[in-house]
Amino acid sequence: MPITNAYGQDKKLLKELDAVIRESVRYQNDKYASIEKLKPSITQYTYAGNQVALLATYTTLFRTYRSFQYDSAYLYLDKAKQLATVIHANDTLSDLQIEEGFILMSAGLFKEGLDVLESIDVSALDTIQSFKYYNTKARTYFDLAAYTDDDRFSIQYVQKGNTLLNKAIAFTDKDSPEYWSSIALRYLMIRDWDNAHKSFTYWLDNFELSPEAYAIATSSLAYVYEMTGDKDKQMNYLIKAAITDIKHGIKETVALQNLAIILYDKNDVARAYTYISQAMEDASFYNARHRKLTISSILPIIEEAQLMQMEQQKSKLSFVVVILGVLAVLSVVLLLVLIKQLKEKNASRSMLEASNQKLQELNRDLHEVDSIKQEYIAYFLKTSSSLLNKIDSMQKIAHQKVIVNRTSELLKSLRKYNVKNERAFLFQQFDEVFLQLFPSFITRYNELFSEENRIVIAEGKGMNTEVRIFALYRLGVQDSQQVAEFLDLSVNTIYSYKARVKAKSLYKEDFEAKIMEIKQL
């Protein structure tokens, strides 16, 4: 993906994010690996009857899954709640109920989250729990307002959230990270951008934040910069948030989604499509319903723009192919002129006709391959370039010899070009390209025969004539006359090969259909 000058200082960060996205599966597997290390403790503490340690393990697993995968997180949350109830761990149970409200909110289940929070006896909570309770409830209303996106309801939700957030702040110390994260959020929600910026920056610069908290702080600062018109800093902080999210397996996030929209506006459609696709993959992995719904409204727009760009690129490629075709025709015309000149100088008629025939066959073969598979364009360019070099060499030698009237030396020079060797080289190249397109062709072909009738191709050797006939058939070259011309055989010989092969096959009636069923990998 090209990075234009429009990104300024963010070029390096975008390259880093691209690399991180390419490695996203590895980071996800690292997260799974850290989780798997915790699971053996479940069996150990269950057999030991250590319910306190088992409860701690369930709680740790829940919190590890919390921003990674909703369904698994809720599974261990439910186990922890049940065990906490059995052993009367009331403080832990209260913590788990508050965190249940948070994870339900993260999954877009706002009503269910609020129902859980409403069921908690607030009077029984300590100071820390009270902060978490009111903070979680406030965030639920804020997220509900953003999801609703309708001033008839969202303003009321924001007002309720601010009231609850003020209650949460009352339970914090002014020197604590909880205070600064909450006060920054309050300024953000009342649209006091200057104080929101100062508060989020203070929180970010003065405390050792967890990856989740760092991603929230940078995403929030990006939103502040968006609202104040600083698009460059908005993108900078979104990139930082997205990198943190992916590296630490945080799937419940909005950074990539918002970044994709910015890139789309900058006409970086390919990168925008990659980012929005990754965002949808993360939202689906986590099972964040509200995130999936939001991304679903954006993805088709970016996807359509990506398809349009691809069509434009395809049109440009088609134009290049046409130009190459015109150049190929001009090359043939030049060759015919050269042949006419050589004939007029009493050059060997048979050698010239053989060379012309060889060139026409190569040109026709290249054109057929190009029309079947786009991958054969490279093959066409390579063969044509080699052929033109040979013709150029022949032309130079011919002109020199004709000018000095050295006809015998001219004939000697022309005999250096051996049609048989050139044809063998052509088949070798055809085999290589075909087997790159259909690497399982030989294996699938052999499955159509009994064990004793299967072929074995030595390493480094190409296909034999029988296999090559049906390789051509698989590519769509099914006219026996065309196959015969390409392989330099008679039509009757091709028929004989086909009949002999089908006679040995396990599928005599529908052998060709079985050949066409062989798919590319």
Side-chain angles (χ1 to χ4, degrees):
M1 285 176 244
I3 299 179
T4 67
N5 292 329
Y7 297 137
Q9 298 299 318
D10 293 323
K11 289 181 182 179
K12 185 177 179 181
L13 275 176
L14 274 174
K15 286 183 178 179
E16 182 181 352
L17 177 55
D18 290 341
V20 168
I21 289 175
R22 288 192 295 270
E23 292 291 315
S24 60
V25 174
R26 178 173 67 83
Y27 292 120
Q28 181 172 300
N29 290 337
D30 289 345
K31 185 80 169 184
Y32 274 128
S34 67
I35 291 170
E36 289 302 315
K37 290 179 181 178
L38 298 171
K39 290 183 178 179
S41 299
I42 296 175
T43 303
Q44 177 186 345
Y45 295 137
T46 300
Y47 279 103
N50 191 340
Q51 293 179 313
V52 173
L54 181 60
L55 175 59
T57 301
Y58 283 149
T59 304
T60 301
L61 279 166
F62 155 66
R63 288 171 179 164
T64 305
Y65 271 118
R66 182 172 53 193
S67 60
F68 182 58
Q69 194 172 51
Y70 165 76
D71 294 329
S72 297
Y74 205 89
L75 171 69
Y76 287 105
L77 171 67
D78 201 43
K79 289 178 182 289
K81 283 174 57 184
Q82 291 178 27
L83 185 56
T85 302
V86 170
I87 66 176
H88 304 293
N90 295 329
D91 282 347
T92 300
L93 182 59
S94 296
D95 286 332
L96 292 171
Q97 288 176 316
I98 294 169
E99 294 191 65
E100 182 179 9
F102 178 85
I103 195 174
L104 287 168
M105 174 263 291
S106 299
L109 299 172
F110 303 111
K111 179 183 180 302
E112 291 77 2
L114 289 172
D115 287 345
V116 169
L117 293 171
E118 291 290 348
S119 69
I120 297 173
D121 181 6
V122 182
S123 64
L125 302 179
D126 60 27
T127 299
I128 295 175
Q129 290 172 333
S130 296
F131 165 75
K132 291 180 180 178
Y133 173 83
Y134 287 114
N135 183 271
T136 300
K137 201 169 184 181
R139 286 192 57 185
T140 302
Y141 276 110
F142 291 149
D143 278 19
L144 182 57
Y147 175 72
T148 304
D149 194 23
D150 187 332
D151 285 345
R152 292 175 298 175
F153 308 104
S154 59
I155 291 176
Q156 297 177 25
Y157 294 146
V158 170
Q159 289 171 345
K160 285 183 180 180
N162 282 327
T163 300
L164 292 164
L165 191 57
N166 286 332
K167 290 182 179 181
I169 293 171
F171 289 98
T172 63
D173 187 307
K174 289 189 177 182
D175 293 326
S176 67
E178 290 79 14
Y179 171 82
W180 285 100
S181 66
S182 300
I183 202 74
L185 179 58
R186 187 182 69 179
Y187 284 130
L188 184 76
M189 297 314 297
I190 64 175
R191 299 175 179 267
D192 185 344
W193 308 125
D194 185 50
N195 281 317
H197 174 268
K198 291 177 182 177
S199 300
F200 277 119
T201 302
Y202 188 89
W203 181 39
L204 196 60
D205 293 343
N206 291 276
F207 299 98
E208 192 71 30
L209 302 184
S210 67
E212 290 86 351
Y214 178 85
I216 290 171
T218 47
S219 290
S220 300
L221 273 172
Y223 180 70
V224 171
Y225 284 123
E226 178 187 4
M227 293 297 99
T228 55
D230 194 336
K231 299 296 184 182
D232 290 338
K233 287 188 177 179
Q234 177 197 3
M235 190 164 79
N236 180 276
Y237 277 95
L238 281 176
I239 296 171
K240 290 177 180 178
I243 290 173
T244 301
D245 288 335
I246 296 172
K247 282 187 173 181
H248 294 89
I250 302 171
K251 301 292 187 177
E252 205 292 294
T253 176
V254 297
L256 265 182
Q257 166 191 324
N258 293 335
L259 190 55
I261 296 171
I262 295 174
L263 293 171
Y264 174 75
D265 291 337
K266 288 180 176 287
N267 202 35
D268 191 349
V269 178
R271 183 176 276 105
Y273 180 72
T274 297
Y275 290 2
I276 199 68
S277 298
Q278 183 67 43
M280 175 59 87
E281 183 179 323
D282 289 346
S284 299
F285 183 90
Y286 184 81
N287 196 17
R289 296 157 181 81
H290 57 316
R291 305 289 185 221
K292 288 192 288 185
L293 187 61
T294 302
I295 295 171
S296 294
S297 66
I298 303 168
L299 181 58
I301 298 171
I302 297 178
E303 191 172 43
E304 183 180 1
Q306 169 74 346
L307 290 174
M308 288 180 62
Q309 271 200 359
M310 291 175 65
E311 285 297 322
Q312 291 172 355
Q313 292 172 355
K314 183 178 177 181
S315 298
K316 290 179 181 178
L317 181 60
S318 299
F319 177 74
V320 171
V321 171
V322 170
I323 294 300
L324 290 174
V326 172
L327 291 175
V329 172
L330 291 175
S331 299
V332 172
V333 172
L334 290 174
L335 290 173
L336 292 173
V337 172
L338 177 61
I339 291 171
K340 183 178 180 181
Q341 291 175 346
L342 293 175
K343 286 180 180 179
E344 292 173 351
K345 299 299 181 179
N346 297 319
S348 172
R349 182 183 183 88
S350 59
M351 180 61 73
L352 290 173
E353 289 177 351
S355 298
N356 183 47
Q357 182 63 30
K358 182 185 71 172
L359 291 172
Q360 289 177 349
E361 289 174 356
L362 287 175
N363 191 34
R364 182 169 58 252
D365 290 342
L366 290 173
H367 178 72
E368 290 172 352
V369 172
D370 179 64
S371 67
I372 296 170
K373 291 292 178 182
Q374 187 174 357
E375 286 83 349
Y376 276 75
I377 291 176
Y379 170 51
F380 169 79
L381 294 174
K382 179 179 177 182
T383 306
S384 296
S385 176
S386 174
L387 184 59
L388 289 174
N389 288 337
K390 290 179 181 179
I391 295 304
D392 182 57
S393 176
M394 289 173 59
Q395 185 180 32
K396 289 177 180 178
I397 292 171
H399 276 298
Q400 291 173 358
K401 302 302 181 184
V402 169
I403 290 172
V404 296
N405 200 23
R406 294 181 180 177
T407 307
S408 59
E409 292 183 13
L410 174 60
L411 292 172
K412 183 178 179 180
S413 296
L414 291 175
R415 292 192 186 96
K416 292 179 182 179
Y417 299 95
N418 186 290
V419 175
K420 183 177 180 181
N421 291 340
E422 294 294 328
R423 189 180 300 281
F425 180 67
L426 170 64
F427 290 162
Q428 178 188 347
Q429 287 189 310
F430 171 83
D431 293 350
E432 290 175 357
V433 175
F434 178 82
L435 290 176
Q436 286 175 0
L437 287 171
F438 297 90
S440 65
F441 184 82
I442 299 301
T443 301
R444 295 293 308 280
Y445 181 86
N446 274 331
E447 292 174 358
L448 304 179
F449 301 90
S450 58
E451 189 70 31
E452 65 273 12
N453 289 320
R454 293 178 179 178
I455 63 167
V456 177
I457 296 180
E459 186 175 354
K461 298 293 184 181
M463 298 183 289
N464 60 31
T465 302
E466 292 180 359
V467 179
R468 195 174 289 120
I469 288 171
F470 288 100
L472 286 166
Y473 191 92
R474 177 61 188 84
L475 291 175
V477 184
Q478 299 171 4
D479 182 77
S480 295
Q481 181 66 40
Q482 291 180 332
V483 176
E485 290 177 1
F486 177 71
L487 298 179
D488 194 31
L489 299 172
S490 69
V491 174
N492 289 335
T493 301
I494 298 299
Y495 285 140
S496 297
Y497 271 120
K498 288 183 175 180
R500 187 162 59 247
V501 169
K502 291 170 67 174
K504 294 186 292 183
S505 170
L506 300 173
Y507 303 91
K508 297 177 177 60
E509 299 301 323
D510 57 348
F511 184 77
E512 286 87 351
K514 293 294 182 182
I515 289 292
M516 294 305 293
E517 289 176 3
I518 299 176
K519 306 296 184 183
Q520 285 181 269
L521 291 181

